[in-house]
């Protein structure tokens, strides 16, 4: 997905790189950065496509992606959950040793370790899942080290209709069909009409005929957005990606924007 950045020449350079070499970001820029904090670890169990259990007992959550959930309790498995889990198992079959690269936050609110995972051959596992369409992009600041690379990996999967992106439910949906019980981020299509500052951050309104979806950027996330670019998107057709939250009878739905990777021009 296209991000909005400053200064303007930086955006232009990024766009030219994408157009001239569509697979460069996914294949090269996701390589491990040796300057970042790293740690070797051994995988004991693959829980699902984005969650691993390490030999030392830690639960590891892959940064920047959200994979379909396996069946648990009374909830059935989500589409391609088994395929995502089995892909990770296959990547680890010959060598369960991985390299963890940490970002700004090394733990989430549930006590899980957060990391970018690199395989013995140097491949970025997070990016591989996105390229296969076995996970959706889910950038959660401040863990944004590989955000642009992961963005390109998902874009490639969408263009090739890989994995999730060949399923009707994951195509860009009209605003009349927000998902009430979604867990993976979905994509919605509409035209931006409002951009309004509030005490809590920024409110935006996406419309499609008589239907609308409230978008909001919390104050803490505004630092990641170029506000002039957001304002310039008024009356433009957009696709936004995220998890909708709807009030009873879907009378009002909203979607939180935490990072520019959630927005692209249609």
């Amino acid at each position: 997905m296209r991000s909005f950045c400053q200064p303007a020449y930086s955006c232009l350079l990024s766009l030219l790189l994408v157009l001239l070499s569509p697979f460069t970001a996914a294949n090269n820029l996701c390589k491990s950065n040796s300057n970042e904090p790293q740690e070797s670890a051994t995988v004991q169990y693959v829980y699902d496509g984005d969650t691993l259990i390490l030999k030392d007992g830690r639960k590891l959550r892959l940064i920047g992606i959200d994979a379909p959930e396996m069946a648990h309790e009374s909830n059935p498995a989500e589409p391609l959950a088994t395929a995502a889990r089995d892909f990770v198992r296959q990547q680890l079959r010959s060598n369960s040793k991985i390299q963890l690269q940490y970002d700004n936050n090394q733990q989430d609110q549930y006590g899980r370790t957060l990391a970018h995972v690199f395989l013995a051959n140097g491949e970025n596992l997070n990016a591989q899942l996105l390229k296969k369409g076995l996970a959706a992009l889910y950038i959660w600041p401040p863990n944004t080290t590989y955000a642009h690379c992961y963005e390109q990996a998902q874009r490639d999967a969408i263009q090739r209709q890989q994995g999730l992106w060949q399923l009707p439910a994951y195509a860009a949906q009209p605003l009349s069909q927000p998902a009430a019980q979604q867990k993976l981020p979905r994509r919605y299509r509409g035209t931006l009409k409002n951009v309004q500052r509030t005490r809590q951050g920024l409110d935006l309104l996406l419309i499609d005929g008589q239907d609308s979806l409230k978008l909001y950027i919390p104050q803490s996330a505004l630092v990641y957005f170029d506000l002039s670019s957001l304002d310039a998107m008024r009356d433009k057709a957009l696709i936004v990606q995220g998890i909708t939250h709807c009030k009873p009878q879907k009378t009002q739905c909203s979607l939180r924007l935490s990072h520019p990777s959630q927005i692209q021009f249609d």
Side-chain angles (χ1 to χ4, degrees):
M1 290 183 178
R2 178 179 169 188
S3 295
F4 300 93
C5 48
Q6 288 181 298
Y9 68 80
S10 177
C11 289
L12 179 59
L13 178 60
S14 297
L15 179 59
L16 286 173
L17 288 173
V18 169
L19 292 174
L20 294 174
S21 183
F23 296 102
T24 297
N27 288 341
N28 296 326
L29 298 184
C30 289
K31 296 295 183 182
S32 178
N33 182 347
S34 60
N35 294 324
E36 299 294 334
Q38 299 186 32
E39 175 190 352
S40 294
T42 301
V43 177
Q44 180 171 297
Y45 180 73
V46 178
Y47 184 79
D48 59 22
D50 59 32
T51 308
L52 313 175
I53 306 299
L54 302 180
K55 190 174 181 180
D56 61 13
R58 284 181 294 167
K59 196 170 190 177
L60 173 69
R61 181 68 162 74
L62 277 64
I63 292 174
I65 70 171
D66 202 2
E69 292 190 14
M70 298 296 297
H72 64 281
E73 298 177 352
S74 59
N75 299 314
E78 295 181 321
L80 299 183
T82 301
R85 181 200 63 187
D86 291 349
F87 174 78
V88 175
R89 287 180 174 176
Q90 182 181 25
Q91 299 306 301
L92 297 171
R93 186 167 295 162
S94 60
N95 192 340
S96 61
K97 282 280 188 183
I98 57 174
Q99 194 75 13
L100 309 182
Q101 184 170 312
Y102 297 113
D103 216 309
N104 290 296
N105 284 348
Q106 295 187 20
Q107 263 195 351
D108 66 10
Q109 58 183 325
Y110 306 109
R112 297 177 298 187
T113 298
L114 302 174
H116 306 277
V117 173
F118 293 87
L119 304 172
N121 62 5
E123 292 288 346
N124 182 314
L125 180 60
N126 310 44
Q128 291 298 317
L129 283 155
L130 289 167
K131 286 171 61 179
K132 294 285 185 181
L134 296 175
L137 184 70
Y138 192 59
I139 303 298
W140 193 262
N143 290 346
T144 61
T145 298
Y146 294 100
H148 296 301
C149 168
Y150 292 164
E151 206 179 321
Q152 179 63 46
Q154 177 179 273
R155 186 188 294 116
D156 292 341
I158 291 173
Q159 290 175 346
R160 292 180 288 111
Q161 292 192 305
Q162 292 286 299
L164 293 167
W165 311 113
Q166 65 183 308
L167 304 177
Y170 291 93
Q173 303 292 320
L175 301 185
S176 59
Q177 300 178 14
Q181 299 297 324
Q182 71 181 109
K183 293 181 181 178
L184 281 181
R186 301 286 180 92
R187 303 166 73 231
Y188 297 95
R189 172 179 278 116
T191 300
L192 187 66
K193 284 298 180 184
N194 279 343
V195 179
Q196 182 178 1
R197 285 298 298 262
T198 69
R199 290 183 178 180
Q200 290 74 37
L202 199 68
D203 284 351
L204 306 92
L205 187 66
L206 201 65
I207 68 167
D208 180 17
Q210 298 299 313
D211 300 305
S212 65
L213 177 65
K214 177 185 175 183
L215 311 175
Y216 68 97
I217 303 173
Q219 190 72 34
S220 59
L222 284 178
V223 65
Y224 299 101
F225 291 83
D226 178 351
L227 301 187
S228 62
S229 292
L230 286 171
D231 193 62
M233 289 191 296
R234 292 176 191 266
D235 300 319
K236 300 295 191 301
L238 304 176
I239 293 177
V240 299
Q241 179 171 320
I243 296 176
T244 53
H245 299 275
C246 301
K247 293 181 179 179
Q249 286 111 31
K250 298 185 183 180
T251 55
Q252 179 63 58
C253 294
S254 62
L255 186 152
R256 172 178 171 144
L257 298 175
S258 300
H259 190 266
S261 60
Q262 292 176 258
I263 310 171
Q264 71 175 111
F265 287 110
D266 191 356

